[in-house]
Amino acid sequence: MNYIDTHCHLDGEEFAEDRDAVVQRAREAGCTRIFLPAIDVKSCHTVLDVCAHYPGYCYPMLGLHPEEVKADWRQQLDDIKGLLTSANCQQPIAIGEVGLDYYWSREFEQEQLQAFEEQVKWAVEMQLPLMIHCRKAQNEMVAILKRYARELPGGVFHCFTGNEQEARQLLEFDRFVLGIGGVLTFKKSHLPEVLPASVSLDRIVLETDAPYMAPVPMRGKRNESAYIRHVVVRMAEAYGVSEEEICRQTTATAERIFHLS
Ligand SMILES: [Zn+2]
C-alpha cells in the first residue's frame, strides 16, 4: 500500500518528542510523501525546518489560515509573501492552508475575505495549487474562486465533509479535488454514501490533518500519517474497489495537482 498524506501538521509541538519515529512509522506503512501546511508566519518557519530535515519526503505549503487572520493579517501576509519569493527558501509546493472559517467566529469576516483573495492571487501569480480550508463559508469561498477560476492551476478542498450538492459545486472547479481523511471512518459520517454518488475516484486525495481527525479505531488519539490505511480500507469498501486501486488513484491525483512525479 503506497499513498501520499497531502495534509499533515507534522511541524506541530504534538510531534516534538517523537517526530523521527512518526516519520519512520509512516514510511513503514507505505506513506511515500507528506505535505505540510502552514497556518501563520511562525508555522511557515517550523514547516520549512521540518521539511528541510526530511528532504524528498516532506514538502512545505505556505499560507495564512483563516482562523489566524487577526488584526495583524496584512503584516503576516507581507512576511509570508517574502518567504514564498525568497531564493534561499525551499520551494513550496502550494499556497496553504488558506480559506474561510466562520464556524467559531465572524469577528474578522471581512479580513478573512481579503486575506483569502490576496492568497488566491498569489496562487495565480506563482502558478501554485491552493490548499483550501473552508468551514461554514462555502458560498463565499466559491464566489471568490470563481473570479480566478480560469487562471488558477488547481488545488485541494481539504477536509471535505459536505453533501452531494456541495461536492458537485466544488468539483465544478475542474482542476480541484477533495481532501478526504479520518471523517470518512466516523460512525455518523455520510461520506461513505456521498462520495461514491457524487465524486469520481480521480477527484480525491488522501490526508490526515494530523494531529487532528484520527480515523476509527484511533479516534480521539493523536493522528499520524501511518493511520491513513484505515481511511483507505473504508474508501475501498465505499467505492467497491481494491485498497491498491484507492492508493494508485489518489497518489496519481496528488502528483498531478502538486506537479510532482
Ligand atoms: Zn490543517
Side-chain angles (χ1 to χ4, degrees), residues 7-9 37-39 65 97 131 133 158-159 207 209-210 212:
H7 193 118
C8 176
H9 298 278
I39 57 168
H65 188 290
E97 53 183 299
M131 175 57 71
H133 168 110
H158 135 74
C159 200
E207 63 173 39
D209 204 14
Y212 317 108

Side-chain angles (χ1 to χ4, degrees), residues 1 3-6 29 31 180-181 206-208 215 223-233:
M1 195 186 268
Y3 59 83
I4 295 177
D5 182 355
T6 60
C31 182
I180 302 295
L206 299 172
E207 63 173 39
T208 51
N223 200 2
E224 58 180 72
S225 301
Y227 298 168
I228 280 193
R229 62 192 149 88
H230 301 295
V231 177
V232 171
V233 168

Side-chain angles (χ1 to χ4, degrees), residues 96-115:
E97 53 183 299
V98 302
L100 301 171
D101 191 326
Y102 299 148
Y103 185 79
W104 296 110
S105 159
R106 284 186 179 258
E107 185 186 355
F108 292 102
E109 181 174 351
Q110 288 309 314
E111 291 85 351
Q112 281 194 34
L113 290 166
Q114 291 179 64

Side-chain angles (χ1 to χ4, degrees), residues 85-237:
T85 50
S86 124
N88 46 19
C89 155
Q90 200 186 341
Q91 186 56 41
I93 59 164
I95 308 290
E97 53 183 299
V98 302
L100 301 171
D101 191 326
Y102 299 148
Y103 185 79
W104 296 110
S105 159
R106 284 186 179 258
E107 185 186 355
F108 292 102
E109 181 174 351
Q110 288 309 314
E111 291 85 351
Q112 281 194 34
L113 290 166
Q114 291 179 64
F116 178 51
E117 183 156 3
E118 179 69 24
Q119 294 177 95
V120 170
K121 287 181 190 167
W122 296 354
V124 170
E125 259 170 56
M126 298 180 210
Q127 284 297 296
L128 284 172
L130 286 163
M131 175 57 71
I132 296 180
H133 168 110
C134 182
R135 263 205 305 188
K136 298 271 176 251
Q138 182 159 321
N139 289 337
E140 293 91 333
M141 176 199 59
V142 164
I144 290 176
L145 280 185
K146 273 192 176 153
R147 292 181 211 143
Y148 303 91
R150 276 187 304 143
E151 305 148 286
L152 281 168
V156 176
F157 298 108
H158 135 74
C159 200
F160 175 76
T161 57
N163 59 31
E164 289 178 32
Q165 192 195 332
E166 286 163 329
R168 290 199 183 94
Q169 184 186 33
L170 295 178
L171 294 178
E172 279 175 21
F173 296 97
D174 56 8
R175 293 183 293 277
F176 283 70
V177 299
L178 307 182
I180 302 295
V183 172
L184 178 69
T185 69
F186 295 176
K187 293 261 180 321
K188 286 185 179 160
S189 174
H190 298 296
L191 287 179
E193 294 82 45
V194 168
L195 293 181
S198 55
V199 183
S200 75
L201 204 42
D202 63 354
R203 304 293 301 277
I204 289 177
V205 292
L206 299 172
E207 63 173 39
T208 51
D209 204 14
Y212 317 108
M213 300 288 175
V216 175
M218 308 310 208
R219 192 166 181 186
K221 299 207 173 83
R222 181 189 71 171
N223 200 2
E224 58 180 72
S225 301
Y227 298 168
I228 280 193
R229 62 192 149 88
H230 301 295
V231 177
V232 171
V233 168
R234 190 74 191 85
M235 196 178 289
E237 280 172 14

